[in-house]
Amino acid sequence: MKNNILKLTLALLVVFSYTSCEEDLVIYDADGGQTGLSFARASQTIEFCAGSGTVTVESTTRTNADRTISINVNSDLTSAMAGEYTVANSVTIPAGEFVGSTPIDVDFSAIPEGSSRVLALDVVAPDGTVINTRGTTQISFSSACTLNEVKFDFVFDNYPEETAWQLYDADSGDFIDGDTGFGNYDDLETFSVTLCIPDGNYDFVVFDQFGDGICCAYGNGSINGNLIACDGNSSLFDQIDEFGGQIVRSFSVGN
């Protein structure tokens, strides 16, 4: 008798558990069920060389007519300023489709140097729909050189403290950047500096305090300059290695 009661109790528990699970399930019907909306990605980064990205909204259902889904800027999560980006306030999902997209463009010239930005967007669920997983997407982008980005790479000899460099506008003679004395690279083996400069002609000047250059009696030093570009880097001048107390390399960018 006890065994029969135990079997009956277990059977009821199984039925109850199965019924509870069935009630909690949310089953989407692609052609007429509950519509769930979400962004395709929770986050993305737009790089300067790309210049733009895409905001994509996904739906669990499709319809026989175009659907316009609103997207709003989440001001609590957004640090980007309005003039730094352009994006529509809605996404259209075409008839018969599950996905719709809209472009986002970034004006990198409007972002202050050294600044990083985040643009957060919320998908707005129309009546009768729900937010499915990713209701917010965050788009990151940072300031970038919109002029000419140049990079100078130094490999020092055994006496890095003897090296100094300066960059001048070759036409006006104006000092652009660089050292105002020796001793800035004591104990360093390498050093790199990146500058953002306008179109023009330039003189890159390297000094050695002892007058024996950076190669090769006391170590194999060298200096290279490159123009950093989206379509590939290019050398600004021939590599600097053997020289005396001073050497000048002239180059032009953007012209």
Side-chain angles (χ1 to χ4, degrees), residues 27-45:
I27 301 175
Y28 293 109
D29 177 358
D31 295 307
Q34 173 71 67
T35 297
L37 299 172
S38 69
F39 287 108
R41 289 186 283 180
S43 63
Q44 64 173 298
T45 299

Side-chain angles (χ1 to χ4, degrees), residues 92-122:
T92 298
I93 301 178
E97 302 293 336
F98 295 97
V99 175
S101 300
T102 191
I104 173 171
D105 297 311
V106 177
D107 182 1
F108 286 92
S109 65
I111 305 171
E113 182 179 356
S115 300
S116 297
R117 297 288 194 249
V118 172
L119 171 63
L121 301 173
D122 293 332

